[in-house]
Amino acid sequence: MRGRRFDITALPGFSAIAIGVFVVLYAPIVTIVVYSFNASNSVAVWGGFSFRWYEIAWENTQVQDATIRSLVVAVSAALISTTLATMAALGTTRRGRFKGQTFIYVMINQPLMVPEIVTAVALLIFFATIKVATGYQGLGYLILAHSAFCIPFAYLPIRARLEGMDLTLEIAAADLYATPWQTFRRVTLPLMAPGVAAGAMLAFVISLDDVIITEFVKSAGQDTLPTYMLGQLRRAVTPEVNAISTALLVLTVMLLTAFFLLTRRRD
Amino acid sequence: MSPSAIEIVDAAKVYGYGASAARALGGVSLGIRTGEFFTLLGPSGCGKTTLLRLIAGFEMPTEGTIHIGGKDMTAVPPNKRPVNTVFQSYALFPHLTARENIAFGLQMLGRPRDEVASEVEKMIALVKLEEMADRRPGQLSGGQQQRVALARALAPAPQVLLLDEPLSALDLKLRKEMQLELKRLQTETGITFVFVTHDQEEALTMSDRIGVMSGGRLLQVGAPREIYNRPVDRFVADFIGETNFIPAEARGDLVRVAGVDLSLPGAGNGPVTLAARPEQVRIGSNGPLPATLTRTVYFGTDTHCHMTLSDGTEIVARLQSPPSGDIGLRDGQGVRIDFAPGALQILEGA
Amino acid sequence: MTGAASSTRSGWLLSLPALVLLALGAAGPLLIVVVYSFLEPGEYSGVVWNFTTEPWFRVFLERDIFDGTVSLADAHLTIFWRSVKLSLLTTLITFAVGFPTAWFIATRPPSSRAIWLFLITIPFWTNLLIRTFAISEIIRNQGLLNTALLKFGLIETPIQILYTDTAVLIGMVYVYLPLMVLPLFAAIDRFDFKLVEAGYDLYASRWKVLRRIVLPIVRPGIVAGSILVFVPSLGAYVTPRILGGGKNMMVGNFIELQFGQGRNWPLGAALSMLLLLIVLAALLAYVRVTSSERPQ
């Protein structure tokens, strides 16, 4: 073994396990993607390459409705939660500790701590009461619920961005005759923008992926894409689900790539 | 024009309340003249940065008043004060180019577009950044960032420029270069500079006057020569340059050091501490004070000779190294010490 | 100056809209669940507004309809026990394979490290439903796993994995693994490898270095990863529903049942609160462990 360096970071078997983990992690996902191009009716037997299931999914009015509904809810939830999370992040960072700060942190992170099924039944009970009292059955409930549980996901990257920001920049702006509003507009806002964009993207992905809370909160006929898929999985599975999954997967990967590029760009 | 650019009266700053209160600045009064290069010098935590932040308006004094250009500015927010700051970390806006950074203050003041543009060009030329003007701070070296920070603070033509240890992030060679550059800019613009540093050499070479601070107090204000040669107390003497402290007994015009009487007119009476700079200690065969050489340390241009007097007091002499590098003295050898005229100072409160 | 007071006020004012939304859409309704867990069930669904501790009683005990004798509610306890057991196993297995994985990523050269990390994050952000569905496709009787095993002659008839506890376990390990790897990676990434050199310098073996130096130092990451896996495992709903079929329920599915076919909202509410209490206890333990370790 002459000339071979003693690698202090190497531990026996670790690399093999790690590679195995990556293979196992991706094999099922790759299978789904591959079988979404399967021409056959069966999900198990390969019948040649085709876009057939994408066409079927595309023309399925239920899928169309669910897709539009998913996007409406996710976009609204991302906008609302990001706006509120940005304000909260501005309120809770870069100032001395203040009374009640811990309470605010706990409240904002609460959706991350409570099991989703518990929040789901809580909202079911709460909204059932309101539905009876007001008669309103619209998408508002879904948007409200999604906006709420997206807040911590939007908040975290914005807060990280703000905390990494040099406080003296705003002092410097004030020194150069900027009013507080000018300082916010010309210095704080442009500098925190990547964090805000990242937060909005995470919120969008989280809302788009949600199954449990949506399943409990939605009124009749208000399927989103994930709850539609959950319903399909209960019956005989067709490769149509593979096609929808693949489409969602591609969307998620694209958003994540954008997110990484945004957060990795260091000034 | 008023002779005083800044007039500070009894400024005190206390952080926190009650038991946890920390006094960062304890009643400082100071006048800074228009057009001078004034340096606040002291170790970290001495209150010099706090004083600078009070002048800039980032903090409000707990007590006292601050006048800038003859107007009471004690409670005026920083964006309404005719002063600009060069920050220690530069605090350049990372999303703006060098040019946009320099233009920022003028834009905030609502100057017309063409005026801003021409002023910015002037500033870019002044700090010699023509090639780099459209780069962002992240693409500039430390020295270039420093120049942008200077240009940005000078562009609005403030009455006073505040500099908070602006050279501390630079390496030695660049620091020397920027010291000269700063001095040149100050002379060319005629703006009052208030410079904060803990580097005594920097303070001595650049300043018209220096204020030495410690423990939130201003100990001495004076020209560099005055501070160096007539330090008011042991702290100032020790902080600025190296000093020998020699215990002595004063009797009229004499001081008795290790059993030997030396002449020092007006010495007074009683025990005193004398201060003498190492470069003003001379070693010869006919000096009045006998000592034993314990150690010599070669520093290139200088050689430091550590000696002990008969009463155990240690004295260091700094001699210029001869071309051979060998001063011709051996450890353990007996020598005689003499002081240059005026070298011995009596320290107060020591 | 009133700097501290104005900072408090603006901090609260800016956070207020988010807090109101969270109170309406997340935290507030939890209080209603507490109330519901002390009411009588309605005939078809909902509640009758009579105070009773019956739902909490029924979580643990059951009363015979005919003679009124009280015995332990075996069915409920089995479901709770299965949930805890599967969640603990999930945590253990994800740690056993997650630690080497995190170590592997953290010891890659900086250029490729970001890519490996990205590869772990993609499944993490991929829809949980899709991932569970993907695993079910693999372990089905006609799935990839059984087909391969049959082809190589290792088995003669397909093994029934889907709709067993094992399937749920496999699914949860698969789904929650990134939640273990990411905090472990963060901890190992911060770890100073000079300490490993010092360990070898002082004659420690690789195993000793791992056990005596690395593991104690990255412990906060281990605890964080375990909590991040254990908590959602315990409340899992989608994974056991798809992979466990109807019989192999976990707490989450059982709660849902009470609001669906079971038509016993108060019992469901009591079960939800019990689940929440267990999770909060785990989180509290986590906070205590990590805050006592932080050097002051």
Side-chain angles (χ1 to χ4, degrees):
Chain A
M1 288 294 187
R2 275 172 56 104
R4 195 168 142 186
R5 208 164 52 88
F6 180 81
D7 183 359
I8 58 150
T9 63
L11 286 164
F14 271 32
S15 298
I17 296 177
I19 298 294
V21 161
F22 280 106
V23 170
V24 169
L25 222 41
Y26 277 89
I29 299 177
V30 171
T31 310
I32 289 250
V33 173
V34 169
Y35 273 85
S36 72
F37 297 106
N38 190 357
S40 109
N41 271 341
S42 154
V43 273
V45 185
W46 181 252
F49 182 89
S50 122
F51 283 110
R52 178 179 160 207
W53 295 107
Y54 287 89
E55 283 159 21
I56 288 174
W58 183 255
E59 276 156 21
N60 183 336
T61 50
Q62 274 178 296
V63 174
Q64 288 169 4
D65 290 348
T67 307
I68 291 167
R69 207 171 283 118
S70 270
L71 289 176
V72 168
V73 171
V75 168
S76 318
L79 283 177
I80 295 170
S81 62
T82 309
T83 310
L84 302 194
T86 305
M87 291 169 64
L90 283 168
T92 51
T93 52
R94 300 170 318 135
R95 60 183 73 218
R97 289 199 62 77
F98 62 87
K99 252 207 183 96
Q101 205 171 13
T102 312
F103 171 78
I104 296 176
Y105 284 154
V106 170
M107 272 298 277
I108 287 175
N109 289 310
Q110 177 266 338
L112 300 178
M113 297 186 279
V114 176
E116 214 185 330
I117 184 78
V118 176
T119 309
V121 303
L123 289 173
L124 171 73
I125 296 174
F126 180 49
F127 290 154
T129 317
I130 298 182
K131 280 176 189 174
V132 169
T134 64
Y136 173 69
Q137 300 273 339
L139 274 183
Y141 301 107
L142 276 180
I143 293 173
L144 171 63
H146 279 230
S147 303
F149 71 70
C150 284
I151 283 180
F153 293 94
Y155 174 78
L156 291 175
I158 300 172
R159 182 182 154 189
R161 179 87 196 173
L162 280 174
E163 280 182 341
M165 229 167 91
D166 190 357
L167 262 178
T168 49
L169 292 176
E170 279 146 331
I171 295 176
D175 184 58
L176 294 163
Y177 316 107
T179 61
W181 170 247
Q182 281 173 319
T183 303
F184 178 74
R185 178 70 200 74
R186 300 282 303 262
V187 178
T188 317
L189 198 60
L191 285 173
M192 73 190 284
V196 175
M201 254 180 263
L202 284 193
F204 181 80
V205 171
I206 290 289
S207 163
L208 201 62
D209 278 1
D210 181 72
V211 188
I212 306 181
I213 288 178
T214 312
E215 178 80 0
F216 279 70
V217 168
K218 71 183 169 73
S219 307
Q222 273 187 354
D223 267 320
T224 61
L225 218 41
T227 62
Y228 171 77
M229 285 166 61
L230 186 67
Q232 290 298 300
L233 291 179
R234 256 182 261 186
R235 305 184 199 111
V237 182
T238 65
E240 188 188 3
V241 179
N242 288 11
I244 301 170
S245 298
T246 305
L248 265 178
L249 199 69
V250 169
L251 182 63
T252 307
V253 171
M254 273 170 19
L255 283 171
L256 277 182
T257 312
F259 170 81
F260 267 77
L261 293 178
L262 271 175
T263 48
R264 276 185 63 199
R265 209 187 75 192
R266 284 259 142 242
D267 296 306
Chain B
M1 198 182 232
S2 150
S4 265
I6 301 173
E7 200 64 53
I8 301 163
V9 179
D10 288 332
K13 179 70 189 177
V14 180
Y15 291 103
Y17 301 94
S20 65
R23 205 170 178 80
L25 205 62
V28 167
S29 293
L30 170 67
I32 294 172
R33 299 169 193 151
T34 300
E36 78 174 329
F37 195 122
F38 190 91
T39 300
L40 287 167
L41 175 67
S44 60
C46 71
K48 57 189 192 298
T49 297
T50 303
L51 186 54
L52 196 78
R53 291 172 68 82
L54 290 182
I55 300 173
F58 307 140
E59 316 255 1
M60 305 277 163
T62 318
E63 293 159 31
T65 58
I66 293 167
H67 285 71
I68 299 168
K71 285 191 207 115
D72 186 355
M73 293 270 173
T74 314
V76 174
N79 56 343
K80 307 239 164 68
R81 294 195 188 200
V83 296
N84 291 132
T85 308
V86 178
F87 294 85
Q88 182 169 13
S89 59
Y90 312 144
L92 295 176
F93 304 125
H95 59 302
L96 304 179
T97 63
R99 191 188 303 277
E100 289 164 344
N101 263 286
I102 297 169
F104 191 90
L106 293 164
Q107 289 169 346
M108 290 302 119
L109 287 171
R111 297 285 163 77
R113 197 177 286 262
D114 45 340
E115 188 194 322
V116 171
S118 72
E119 277 303 310
V120 168
E121 287 318 308
K122 252 191 259 170
M123 282 300 142
I124 290 172
L126 187 69
V127 297
K128 300 171 190 148
L129 270 175
E130 291 87 345
E131 315 286 301
M132 306 290 167
D134 291 311
R135 295 204 187 169
R136 295 201 176 181
Q139 300 162 304
L140 298 174
S141 72
Q144 290 162 345
Q145 290 184 20
Q146 168 76 76
R147 287 163 194 275
V148 177
L150 262 171
R152 184 179 74 175
L154 284 170
Q159 288 179 26
V160 179
L161 186 74
L162 307 174
L163 302 105
D164 184 8
E165 307 220 18
L167 306 180
S168 61
L170 304 178
D171 61 42
L172 186 67
K173 194 158 171 266
L174 204 54
R175 195 154 69 222
K176 299 270 180 214
E177 218 176 283
M178 283 308 296
Q179 287 177 4
L180 295 175
E181 184 82 10
L182 273 180
K183 195 69 196 163
R184 174 182 72 86
L185 285 173
Q186 199 252 334
T187 324
E188 276 179 29
T189 58
I191 291 174
T192 311
F193 276 34
V194 180
F195 186 87
V196 160
T197 184
H198 62 267
D199 183 331
Q200 42 113 357
E201 196 187 313
E202 207 163 87
L204 291 173
T205 54
M206 297 170 72
S207 321
D208 294 321
R209 287 196 307 153
I210 298 172
V212 185
M213 293 187 70
S214 171
R217 306 204 160 269
L218 196 57
L219 301 178
Q220 187 173 6
V221 178
R225 276 184 183 72
E226 207 178 319
I227 300 269
Y228 188 79
N229 292 318
R230 301 271 177 278
V232 289
D233 65 9
R234 191 176 179 127
F235 178 85
V236 177
D238 200 27
F239 189 73
I240 308 210
E242 283 157 55
T243 302
N244 292 300
F245 295 105
I246 308 162
E249 189 75 28
R251 274 183 297 146
D253 288 341
L254 292 175
V255 281
R256 173 167 282 240
V257 176
V260 178
D261 282 334
L262 304 172
S263 159
L264 188 61
N269 283 297
V272 292
T273 299
L274 301 174
R277 298 288 182 188
E279 66 273 17
Q280 283 156 1
V281 179
R282 296 191 291 215
I283 302 177
S285 48
N286 50 7
L289 201 56
T292 310
L293 186 72
T294 53
R295 194 158 53 96
T296 60
V297 184
Y298 179 65
F299 275 88
T301 55
D302 302 329
T303 301
H304 291 193
C305 299
H306 294 252
M307 292 164 293
T308 315
L309 300 183
S310 61
D311 64 350
T313 305
E314 288 188 24
I315 291 190
V316 180
R318 188 190 294 170
L319 308 181
Q320 203 171 33
S321 304
S324 68
D326 185 2
I327 53 166
L329 294 169
R330 280 189 317 280
D331 293 359
Q333 184 179 341
V335 293
R336 298 193 77 84
I337 295 175
D338 191 7
F339 296 97
L344 283 177
Q345 294 289 321
I346 293 182
L347 293 176
E348 290 159 16
Chain C
M1 255 317 273
T2 53
S6 80
S7 167
T8 305
R9 199 177 53 235
S10 63
W12 271 95
L13 275 178
L14 283 165
S15 307
L16 198 64
L19 295 181
V20 169
L21 185 69
L22 284 161
L24 280 175
L30 290 179
L31 298 177
I32 306 178
V33 181
V34 178
V35 174
Y36 268 47
S37 72
F38 290 103
L39 297 176
E40 287 175 9
E43 201 170 332
Y44 295 106
S45 72
V47 286
V48 178
W49 284 83
N50 290 327
F51 175 83
T52 170
T53 53
E54 182 76 12
W56 284 95
F57 180 82
R58 282 207 44 197
V59 168
F60 301 103
L61 302 168
E62 56 193 356
R63 192 176 279 126
D64 195 289
I65 333 168
F66 300 109
D67 57 12
T69 51
V70 170
S71 57
L72 280 174
D74 286 335
H76 300 184
L77 294 178
T78 310
I79 290 169
F80 258 95
W81 169 235
R82 177 187 291 121
S83 298
V84 171
K85 184 183 70 184
L86 287 177
S87 305
L88 283 176
L89 278 172
T90 304
T91 311
L92 272 176
I93 298 171
T94 49
F95 174 70
V97 296
F99 187 80
T101 309
W103 183 271
F104 174 83
I105 301 174
T107 55
R108 288 313 94 194
S111 50
S112 59
R113 194 182 310 161
I115 298 167
W116 288 109
L117 197 60
F118 189 56
L119 283 178
I120 249 331
T121 347
I122 288 183
F124 172 63
W125 289 109
T126 303
N127 197 320
L128 182 97
L129 189 66
I130 296 178
R131 283 184 294 152
T132 309
F133 166 57
I135 268 288
S136 78
E137 290 293 283
I138 296 287
I139 60 177
R140 271 175 329 112
N141 283 5
Q142 304 86 33
L144 216 61
L145 185 66
N146 272 316
T147 314
L149 290 177
L150 281 171
K151 200 168 241 166
F152 291 116
L154 292 170
I155 52 169
E156 301 200 339
T157 50
I159 331 169
Q160 176 67 39
I161 307 175
L162 201 59
Y163 310 133
T164 64
D165 278 3
T166 315
V168 178
L169 182 61
I170 292 174
M172 292 208 301
V173 168
Y174 178 70
V175 165
Y176 296 126
L177 183 63
L179 287 171
M180 177 64 88
V181 175
L182 290 173
L184 282 178
F185 165 79
I188 298 172
D189 194 43
R190 274 198 305 271
F191 177 77
D192 179 6
F193 278 96
K194 285 266 181 302
L195 297 175
V196 174
E197 285 180 359
Y200 286 135
D201 185 58
L202 296 165
Y203 318 110
S205 64
R206 286 190 193 272
W207 169 243
K208 283 263 171 58
V209 163
L210 182 66
R211 221 176 59 87
R212 301 279 301 274
I213 301 173
V214 179
L215 288 182
I217 292 178
V218 301
R219 213 172 86 108
I222 299 175
V223 179
S226 303
I227 286 289
L228 282 178
V229 171
F230 183 76
V231 167
S233 300
L234 201 61
Y237 168 78
V238 171
T239 310
R241 173 161 162 185
I242 294 175
L243 300 176
K247 287 175 301 187
N248 305 72
M249 259 187 277
M250 285 179 64
V251 183
N253 310 89
F254 192 56
I255 291 172
E256 195 238 346
L257 192 65
Q258 303 314 316
F259 287 91
Q261 300 156 328
R263 288 182 186 154
N264 193 337
W265 286 26
L267 179 60
L271 288 165
S272 305
M273 285 303 107
L274 186 62
L275 175 62
L276 183 59
L277 287 178
I278 297 174
V279 166
L280 289 183
L283 287 174
L284 217 60
Y286 165 69
V287 170
R288 294 195 60 171
V289 167
T290 46
S291 62
S292 68
E293 270 177 2
R294 196 164 301 145
Q296 290 299 311

